[in-house]
Amino acid sequence: MTRDKKTSSTFFLLGLVALVGGALLSALLGRYQAAPVLGCSALMLAIAWIIERRSDSSGDEV
């Protein structure tokens, strides 16, 4: 597994944790308190996708 793929997997897992946390906060506290957490999860999932796409095009093994 390349370093970029490991980094992508890490960001994806962190994004999922933030997404689940945001969903729980939304259910418990309301959508306005959960909005920053859900925004953060969207950003982390987008970063994971970009890193994954970059690693597919480079093909470098580390």
Side-chain angles (χ1 to χ4, degrees):
M1 183 179 268
T2 67
R3 185 179 64 200
D4 284 342
K5 292 225 185 241
K6 288 180 185 177
T7 304
S8 174
S9 296
T10 301
F11 270 98
F12 182 75
L13 290 175
L14 288 173
L16 285 181
V17 168
L19 182 66
V20 170
L24 289 173
L25 280 175
S26 180
L28 295 174
L29 302 175
R31 67 180 179 185
Y32 295 110
Q33 269 75 22
V37 178
L38 291 172
C40 182
S41 71
L43 182 65
M44 293 177 107
L45 292 173
I47 290 170
W49 181 77
I50 290 169
I51 293 171
E52 179 70 25
R53 298 295 294 168
R54 188 179 68 178
S55 70
D56 285 345
S57 64
S58 68
D60 294 334
E61 290 288 327
V62 174

